[in-house]
Amino acid sequence: MPVEYEVSGLDDRTKELCKKMLLQLGLTYGAFDFIRMPDGNLIFLELNPTGEWAWLEEKLHLPMRDAFIRVFFGDKS
């Protein structure tokens, strides 16, 4: 069965839990890996402090590099 990728969002509670985890671990960035089940539930896999993401930018056509530049260097616009 082929793996499919699509843009997905997180509910506010999950976002806050992710932020809390980053704060407790002293991280500015971390790649959270989840699987969204057919019923919509999320399964947390891992938090990777050096997670790769550039390949997803191409697959999903998202401006992820720009977002990372804003996080680490501030908004330069």
Coordinates of all heavy atoms in Angstrom, one line a residue:
M1 N 0.8 -1.2 0.0 CA 0.0 0.0 0.0 C 0.9 1.2 0.0 O 1.8 1.4 0.8 CB -0.9 0.0 1.2 CG -1.9 1.1 1.3 SD -3.3 0.8 2.4 CE -2.7 1.6 3.8
P2 N 0.7 2.2 -0.9 CA 1.5 3.4 -1.0 C 1.2 4.3 0.2 O 0.1 4.4 0.7 CB 1.1 4.0 -2.3 CG -0.2 3.5 -2.6 CD -0.3 2.1 -2.0
V3 N 2.3 5.0 0.6 CA 2.1 6.0 1.6 C 1.6 7.3 1.0 O 2.1 7.7 -0.1 CB 3.5 6.3 2.3 CG1 3.4 7.4 3.3 CG2 4.0 5.0 3.0
E4 N 0.7 8.0 1.6 CA 0.1 9.2 1.1 C 0.4 10.3 2.1 O 0.4 10.1 3.3 CB -1.4 9.1 0.9 CG -1.8 8.1 -0.1 CD -3.3 8.0 -0.3 OE1 -4.0 9.0 0.1 OE2 -3.8 7.0 -0.8
Y5 N 0.7 11.5 1.6 CA 1.0 12.7 2.4 C 0.0 13.8 2.0 O -0.3 13.9 0.8 CB 2.4 13.2 2.2 CG 3.4 12.2 2.5 CD1 4.0 11.4 1.5 CD2 3.9 12.0 3.8 CE1 5.0 10.5 1.8 CE2 4.9 11.1 4.0 CZ 5.4 10.3 3.0 OH 6.4 9.4 3.3
E6 N -0.6 14.4 3.0 CA -1.4 15.6 2.7 C -1.3 16.6 3.9 O -1.0 16.2 5.0 CB -2.9 15.1 2.5 CG -3.5 14.5 3.7 CD -4.9 14.0 3.4 OE1 -5.1 13.2 2.5 OE2 -5.9 14.5 4.1
V7 N -1.7 17.8 3.6 CA -1.7 18.8 4.6 C -2.8 18.5 5.6 O -3.9 18.1 5.2 CB -1.9 20.2 4.0 CG1 -2.0 21.3 5.0 CG2 -0.8 20.5 2.9
S8 N -2.4 18.6 6.9 CA -3.3 18.3 7.9 C -3.1 19.3 9.1 O -2.0 19.8 9.2 CB -3.1 16.9 8.4 OG -4.0 16.6 9.5
G9 N -4.1 19.6 9.8 CA -3.9 20.5 11.0 C -4.0 19.8 12.3 O -4.4 18.6 12.4
L10 N -3.7 20.5 13.3 CA -3.8 20.0 14.7 C -4.8 20.8 15.5 O -4.9 22.0 15.3 CB -2.5 20.1 15.4 CG -1.3 19.3 14.8 CD1 0.0 19.6 15.6 CD2 -1.6 17.8 14.9
D11 N -5.6 20.2 16.3 CA -6.5 20.9 17.2 C -5.7 21.7 18.2 O -4.5 21.5 18.4 CB -7.5 20.0 17.9 CG -6.8 19.0 18.8 OD1 -6.3 19.4 19.9 OD2 -6.6 17.8 18.3
D12 N -6.3 22.7 18.8 CA -5.7 23.6 19.7 C -5.0 22.9 20.9 O -3.9 23.3 21.3 CB -6.6 24.7 20.2 CG -7.0 25.7 19.2 OD1 -6.3 25.8 18.1 OD2 -8.0 26.4 19.3
R13 N -5.7 21.9 21.4 CA -5.1 21.1 22.6 C -3.8 20.5 22.2 O -2.8 20.5 22.9 CB -6.1 20.1 23.1 CG -5.6 19.3 24.3 CD -6.6 18.4 24.9 NE -6.1 17.7 26.0 CZ -5.4 16.5 25.9 NH1 -5.2 16.0 24.7 NH2 -5.0 15.9 27.0
T14 N -3.8 19.8 21.0 CA -2.6 19.1 20.6 C -1.5 20.1 20.3 O -0.3 19.9 20.6 CB -2.9 18.3 19.3 OG1 -3.9 17.4 19.6 CG2 -1.7 17.5 18.9
K15 N -1.8 21.3 19.7 CA -0.8 22.3 19.5 C -0.1 22.8 20.8 O 1.1 22.9 20.9 CB -1.4 23.5 18.8 CG -1.7 23.3 17.3 CD -2.4 24.6 16.8 CE -3.0 24.4 15.4 NZ -3.6 25.6 15.0
E16 N -1.0 23.0 21.8 CA -0.5 23.4 23.1 C 0.4 22.4 23.7 O 1.4 22.7 24.3 CB -1.6 23.8 24.0 CG -2.3 25.1 23.6 CD -1.3 26.3 23.5 OE1 -0.5 26.5 24.4 OE2 -1.4 27.0 22.5
L17 N 0.0 21.1 23.6 CA 0.8 20.0 24.1 C 2.2 19.9 23.4 O 3.2 19.7 24.1 CB 0.1 18.7 24.0 CG -1.1 18.5 25.0 CD1 -1.9 17.3 24.6 CD2 -0.6 18.5 26.4
C18 N 2.2 20.2 22.1 CA 3.5 20.2 21.4 C 4.4 21.3 21.9 O 5.6 21.2 22.1 CB 3.2 20.3 19.9 SG 2.5 18.8 19.1
K19 N 3.8 22.5 22.0 CA 4.5 23.7 22.5 C 5.1 23.4 23.9 O 6.2 23.8 24.2 CB 3.6 24.9 22.5 CG 3.3 25.4 21.1 CD 2.4 26.6 21.2 CE 1.9 27.1 19.8 NZ 0.9 28.2 19.9
K20 N 4.3 22.8 24.7 CA 4.7 22.5 26.1 C 5.9 21.5 26.1 O 6.9 21.7 26.8 CB 3.5 21.9 26.9 CG 3.8 21.7 28.3 CD 2.6 21.2 29.1 CE 2.9 20.9 30.5 NZ 1.7 20.5 31.3
M21 N 5.8 20.5 25.2 CA 6.9 19.6 25.1 C 8.2 20.2 24.6 O 9.3 20.0 25.2 CB 6.5 18.4 24.1 CG 7.6 17.3 24.0 SD 7.1 16.0 22.9 CE 6.4 14.9 24.1
L22 N 8.1 21.1 23.6 CA 9.3 21.8 23.2 C 9.9 22.7 24.3 O 11.1 22.7 24.5 CB 8.9 22.8 22.0 CG 8.6 22.1 20.7 CD1 8.1 23.1 19.7 CD2 9.9 21.4 20.1
L23 N 9.0 23.4 25.0 CA 9.5 24.2 26.1 C 10.2 23.4 27.2 O 11.3 23.7 27.7 CB 8.3 25.0 26.7 CG 8.6 26.0 27.8 CD1 9.4 27.1 27.3 CD2 7.3 26.5 28.4
Q24 N 9.5 22.3 27.6 CA 10.1 21.4 28.7 C 11.5 20.8 28.2 O 12.3 20.6 29.1 CB 9.2 20.3 29.0 CG 8.0 20.8 29.8 CD 7.0 19.7 30.3 OE1 7.1 18.6 29.8 NE2 6.1 20.1 31.2
L25 N 11.6 20.6 26.9 CA 12.9 20.0 26.4 C 13.9 21.1 26.0 O 15.0 20.8 25.7 CB 12.6 19.1 25.2 CG 11.8 17.9 25.6 CD1 11.4 17.2 24.3 CD2 12.6 16.9 26.5
G26 N 13.5 22.4 26.2 CA 14.4 23.5 25.8 C 14.7 23.6 24.3 O 15.8 24.1 23.9
L27 N 13.7 23.3 23.5 CA 13.9 23.3 22.1 C 13.2 24.4 21.4 O 12.0 24.8 21.8 CB 13.4 22.0 21.4 CG 14.1 20.7 21.9 CD1 13.4 19.5 21.3 CD2 15.5 20.7 21.5
T28 N 13.8 25.0 20.4 CA 13.1 26.0 19.6 C 12.3 25.3 18.5 O 11.2 25.8 18.1 CB 14.1 27.0 19.0 OG1 14.8 27.7 20.0 CG2 13.4 28.0 18.1
Y29 N 12.9 24.2 18.0 CA 12.3 23.5 16.9 C 12.3 22.0 17.2 O 13.2 21.5 17.8 CB 13.0 23.7 15.6 CG 12.8 22.7 14.5 CD1 11.6 22.7 13.8 CD2 13.7 21.7 14.3 CE1 11.3 21.7 12.9 CE2 13.5 20.7 13.4 CZ 12.3 20.7 12.7 OH 12.0 19.8 11.7
G30 N 11.3 21.3 16.8 CA 11.3 19.9 16.8 C 10.3 19.4 15.8 O 9.2 20.0 15.6
A31 N 10.6 18.3 15.1 CA 9.7 17.7 14.1 C 8.9 16.7 14.8 O 9.4 15.6 15.2 CB 10.5 17.1 13.0
F32 N 7.6 17.0 15.0 CA 6.6 16.0 15.6 C 6.1 15.1 14.5 O 5.6 15.6 13.4 CB 5.5 16.8 16.2 CG 5.8 17.5 17.4 CD1 6.4 18.8 17.4 CD2 5.6 17.0 18.7 CE1 6.7 19.5 18.5 CE2 5.9 17.6 19.8 CZ 6.5 18.9 19.8
D33 N 6.2 13.8 14.7 CA 5.7 12.9 13.8 C 4.5 12.2 14.3 O 4.5 11.7 15.4 CB 6.8 11.8 13.5 CG 8.0 12.3 12.7 OD1 7.8 13.3 12.0 OD2 9.0 11.7 12.9
F34 N 3.4 12.3 13.5 CA 2.1 11.7 13.9 C 1.6 10.9 12.7 O 2.0 11.1 11.6 CB 1.0 12.8 14.1 CG 1.3 13.7 15.2 CD1 1.9 14.9 15.1 CD2 0.8 13.4 16.5 CE1 2.1 15.8 16.1 CE2 1.0 14.2 17.6 CZ 1.7 15.5 17.4
I35 N 0.8 9.9 13.0 CA 0.0 9.2 12.0 C -1.5 9.6 12.3 O -1.9 9.5 13.4 CB 0.1 7.7 12.1 CG1 1.6 7.3 11.8 CG2 -0.9 7.0 11.2 CD1 1.8 5.8 12.0
R36 N -2.2 10.0 11.2 CA -3.6 10.3 11.4 C -4.3 9.0 10.9 O -4.2 8.6 9.7 CB -4.1 11.5 10.6 CG -5.5 11.8 10.9 CD -6.0 13.1 10.3 NE -5.3 14.3 10.8 CZ -5.5 14.9 11.9 NH1 -6.5 14.5 12.7 NH2 -4.9 16.0 12.2
M37 N -5.1 8.4 11.8 CA -5.8 7.2 11.5 C -7.1 7.5 10.6 O -7.5 8.7 10.6 CB -6.2 6.5 12.8 CG -5.0 6.1 13.7 SD -3.8 5.1 12.8 CE -4.8 3.6 12.7
P38 N -7.6 6.5 10.0 CA -8.8 6.8 9.1 C -10.0 7.4 9.9 O -10.8 8.1 9.4 CB -9.2 5.4 8.6 CG -7.9 4.6 8.6 CD -7.1 5.2 9.8
D39 N -10.0 7.1 11.2 CA -11.1 7.7 12.0 C -10.8 9.1 12.5 O -11.6 9.7 13.2 CB -11.4 6.8 13.2 CG -10.2 6.7 14.2 OD1 -9.2 7.4 14.0 OD2 -10.4 5.9 15.2
G40 N -9.6 9.6 12.1 CA -9.3 11.0 12.4 C -8.4 11.2 13.7 O -7.8 12.2 13.9
N41 N -8.3 10.1 14.4 CA -7.4 10.2 15.6 C -6.0 10.2 15.3 O -5.6 9.7 14.2 CB -7.7 9.0 16.5 CG -9.0 9.1 17.3 OD1 -9.4 10.1 17.7 ND2 -9.7 7.9 17.4
L42 N -5.2 10.9 16.1 CA -3.7 11.0 15.9 C -3.0 10.0 16.8 O -3.4 9.8 17.9 CB -3.2 12.4 16.2 CG -3.6 13.5 15.3 CD1 -3.0 14.8 15.8 CD2 -3.0 13.3 13.9
I43 N -1.9 9.5 16.2 CA -1.0 8.6 17.0 C 0.3 9.4 17.0 O 0.9 9.6 15.9 CB -0.9 7.2 16.4 CG1 -2.2 6.5 16.5 CG2 0.2 6.4 17.2 CD1 -2.2 5.1 15.9
F44 N 0.9 9.7 18.1 CA 2.1 10.4 18.3 C 3.2 9.3 18.1 O 3.2 8.3 18.8 CB 2.3 11.1 19.6 CG 3.6 11.6 19.9 CD1 4.1 12.8 19.3 CD2 4.4 11.0 20.8 CE1 5.3 13.3 19.5 CE2 5.7 11.5 21.1 CZ 6.1 12.6 20.4
L45 N 4.2 9.6 17.2 CA 5.3 8.7 17.0 C 6.6 9.1 17.7 O 7.2 8.4 18.5 CB 5.6 8.5 15.5 CG 4.5 7.9 14.7 CD1 4.9 7.9 13.2 CD2 4.1 6.5 15.2
E46 N 7.0 10.4 17.5 CA 8.2 10.9 18.1 C 8.3 12.4 17.9 O 7.6 13.0 17.1 CB 9.4 10.2 17.4 CG 9.6 10.7 16.0 CD 10.9 10.1 15.3 OE1 11.7 9.6 16.0 OE2 11.0 10.2 14.1
L47 N 9.2 13.0 18.6 CA 9.7 14.3 18.5 C 11.1 14.3 18.2 O 12.0 13.8 19.0 CB 9.4 15.2 19.7 CG 10.1 16.5 19.8 CD1 9.7 17.4 18.6 CD2 9.9 17.2 21.1
N48 N 11.5 14.7 17.0 CA 12.9 14.7 16.5 C 13.5 16.1 16.5 O 13.0 16.9 15.7 CB 13.0 14.0 15.1 CG 14.4 13.8 14.7 OD1 15.3 14.5 15.1 ND2 14.5 12.8 13.8
P49 N 14.5 16.4 17.4 CA 15.0 17.8 17.4 C 15.8 18.2 16.2 O 16.1 19.3 16.0 CB 15.9 17.8 18.7 CG 16.3 16.4 18.8 CD 15.1 15.5 18.3
T50 N 16.1 17.2 15.3 CA 16.8 17.6 14.1 C 16.1 17.0 12.9 O 16.7 16.6 11.9 CB 18.3 17.0 14.1 OG1 18.2 15.6 14.3 CG2 19.1 17.6 15.2
G51 N 14.8 16.9 13.0 CA 14.0 16.3 11.9 C 14.1 16.9 10.6 O 14.2 18.1 10.4
E52 N 14.1 16.1 9.6 CA 14.1 16.5 8.2 C 12.7 16.9 7.8 O 11.7 16.3 8.2 CB 14.6 15.4 7.3 CG 16.1 15.0 7.5 CD 17.0 16.1 7.1 OE1 16.8 16.9 6.2 OE2 18.1 16.2 7.8
W53 N 12.7 17.9 6.9 CA 11.3 18.4 6.5 C 11.4 18.9 5.1 O 10.3 19.1 4.4 CB 10.9 19.6 7.4 CG 12.0 20.6 7.6 CD1 12.8 20.7 8.6 CD2 12.3 21.7 6.7 NE1 13.7 21.8 8.4 CE2 13.4 22.4 7.2 CE3 11.7 22.2 5.5 CZ2 13.9 23.5 6.6 CZ3 12.3 23.3 4.9 CH2 13.4 23.9 5.4
A54 N 12.5 19.2 4.5 CA 12.6 19.8 3.1 C 11.9 18.9 2.1 O 11.3 19.5 1.2 CB 14.0 20.0 2.7
W55 N 12.0 17.6 2.2 CA 11.3 16.8 1.2 C 9.8 16.9 1.3 O 9.1 16.8 0.2 CB 11.7 15.3 1.4 CG 11.3 14.8 2.8 CD1 12.0 14.9 4.0 CD2 10.1 14.0 3.1 NE1 11.3 14.3 5.0 CE2 10.1 13.7 4.5 CE3 9.0 13.6 2.3 CZ2 9.1 13.0 5.1 CZ3 8.0 12.9 3.0 CH2 8.1 12.6 4.3
L56 N 9.2 17.3 2.4 CA 7.8 17.5 2.5 C 7.4 18.8 1.9 O 6.3 18.9 1.3 CB 7.3 17.5 4.0 CG 7.1 16.2 4.6 CD1 6.8 16.4 6.1 CD2 6.0 15.4 4.0
E57 N 8.3 19.8 1.9 CA 8.0 21.1 1.2 C 7.7 20.8 -0.2 O 6.7 21.4 -0.8 CB 9.2 22.0 1.4 CG 8.9 23.4 0.7 CD 10.1 24.3 1.0 OE1 11.2 24.0 0.7 OE2 9.8 25.5 1.4
E58 N 8.5 20.0 -0.9 CA 8.3 19.7 -2.3 C 7.0 18.8 -2.5 O 6.2 19.1 -3.4 CB 9.5 19.0 -2.8 CG 10.7 19.9 -2.9 CD 12.0 19.2 -3.3 OE1 11.9 18.1 -3.8 OE2 13.1 19.7 -3.0
K59 N 6.8 17.8 -1.7 CA 5.7 16.9 -1.9 C 4.3 17.7 -1.7 O 3.4 17.4 -2.3 CB 5.7 15.7 -0.9 CG 6.6 14.6 -1.4 CD 6.2 13.4 -0.6 CE 6.9 12.2 -1.1 NZ 6.7 11.8 -2.5
L60 N 4.3 18.6 -0.7 CA 3.1 19.2 -0.3 C 3.0 20.7 -0.8 O 2.0 21.3 -0.6 CB 2.9 19.2 1.2 CG 2.8 17.8 1.8 CD1 2.8 17.9 3.4 CD2 1.6 17.0 1.3
H61 N 4.0 21.1 -1.5 CA 4.0 22.5 -2.0 C 3.7 23.6 -1.0 O 2.9 24.4 -1.2 CB 3.0 22.6 -3.2 CG 3.2 21.5 -4.2 ND1 4.3 21.5 -5.1 CD2 2.4 20.4 -4.5 CE1 4.2 20.4 -5.8 NE2 3.1 19.8 -5.5
L62 N 4.5 23.5 0.1 CA 4.3 24.4 1.2 C 5.6 25.3 1.4 O 6.7 24.8 1.1 CB 4.1 23.7 2.5 CG 2.8 22.9 2.7 CD1 2.9 22.0 3.9 CD2 1.6 23.8 2.6
P63 N 5.5 26.5 1.8 CA 6.6 27.4 1.9 C 7.3 27.2 3.3 O 7.5 28.1 4.1 CB 6.0 28.8 1.8 CG 4.7 28.6 2.4 CD 4.2 27.2 2.0
M64 N 7.8 26.0 3.5 CA 8.4 25.6 4.8 C 9.7 26.3 5.1 O 10.0 26.7 6.2 CB 8.5 24.1 5.0 CG 7.1 23.4 5.0 SD 7.2 21.6 4.9 CE 7.7 21.3 6.6
R65 N 10.5 26.5 4.1 CA 11.8 27.2 4.3 C 11.6 28.6 4.8 O 12.3 29.0 5.7 CB 12.6 27.2 3.0 CG 13.3 25.9 2.7 CD 14.0 25.9 1.3 NE 14.7 24.7 1.0 CZ 14.1 23.6 0.4 NH1 12.8 23.7 0.1 NH2 14.8 22.5 0.2
D66 N 10.6 29.3 4.2 CA 10.3 30.6 4.6 C 9.9 30.6 6.1 O 10.2 31.5 6.9 CB 9.2 31.2 3.7 CG 9.7 31.5 2.3 OD1 10.9 31.5 2.1 OD2 8.8 31.6 1.4
A67 N 9.1 29.7 6.5 CA 8.6 29.6 7.9 C 9.7 29.4 8.8 O 9.8 30.0 9.9 CB 7.5 28.5 8.0
F68 N 10.7 28.5 8.5 CA 11.8 28.3 9.3 C 12.7 29.5 9.4 O 13.2 29.8 10.5 CB 12.6 27.0 8.8 CG 12.1 25.8 9.3 CD1 11.1 25.1 8.6 CD2 12.5 25.2 10.5 CE1 10.5 23.9 9.0 CE2 12.0 24.0 10.9 CZ 11.0 23.4 10.2
I69 N 12.9 30.2 8.4 CA 13.7 31.4 8.4 C 13.0 32.4 9.4 O 13.7 33.1 10.2 CB 13.8 32.0 7.0 CG1 14.7 31.2 6.2 CG2 14.3 33.5 7.1 CD1 14.7 31.5 4.7
R70 N 11.7 32.5 9.4 CA 11.0 33.5 10.3 C 11.2 33.0 11.7 O 11.4 33.8 12.6 CB 9.5 33.6 9.9 CG 9.3 34.4 8.7 CD 7.8 34.7 8.5 NE 6.9 33.6 8.5 CZ 6.6 32.8 7.4 NH1 7.2 33.1 6.3 NH2 5.8 31.8 7.5
V71 N 11.1 31.7 12.0 CA 11.3 31.2 13.4 C 12.6 31.5 13.9 O 12.8 31.9 15.0 CB 10.9 29.7 13.4 CG1 11.4 29.1 14.7 CG2 9.5 29.4 13.2
F72 N 13.7 31.2 13.1 CA 15.0 31.3 13.6 C 15.7 32.6 13.5 O 16.6 33.0 14.2 CB 15.9 30.2 13.0 CG 15.5 28.8 13.5 CD1 14.8 27.9 12.7 CD2 15.9 28.4 14.8 CE1 14.5 26.7 13.1 CE2 15.5 27.2 15.2 CZ 14.9 26.3 14.4
F73 N 15.2 33.4 12.5 CA 15.9 34.7 12.2 C 15.0 35.9 12.3 O 15.4 37.0 12.0 CB 16.6 34.7 10.9 CG 17.6 33.6 10.8 CD1 17.3 32.4 10.0 CD2 18.8 33.7 11.4 CE1 18.2 31.4 9.9 CE2 19.7 32.7 11.4 CZ 19.5 31.5 10.6
G74 N 13.7 35.7 12.6 CA 12.7 36.8 12.7 C 12.2 37.1 11.3 O 12.7 36.7 10.3
D75 N 11.1 37.8 11.3 CA 10.4 38.2 10.0 C 11.2 39.3 9.4 O 11.3 40.4 9.9 CB 9.0 38.6 10.3 CG 8.2 38.7 9.0 OD1 8.7 38.6 7.9 OD2 6.9 38.9 9.1
K76 N 11.7 39.1 8.2 CA 12.6 40.1 7.5 C 11.8 40.9 6.5 O 12.3 41.6 5.7 CB 13.8 39.4 6.8 CG 14.6 38.6 7.7 CD 15.4 39.5 8.7 CE 16.3 38.7 9.5 NZ 17.0 39.4 10.6
S77 N 10.5 40.7 6.4 CA 9.7 41.4 5.4 C 9.3 42.8 5.8 O 9.5 43.2 6.9 CB 8.4 40.6 5.1 OG 7.6 40.4 6.3

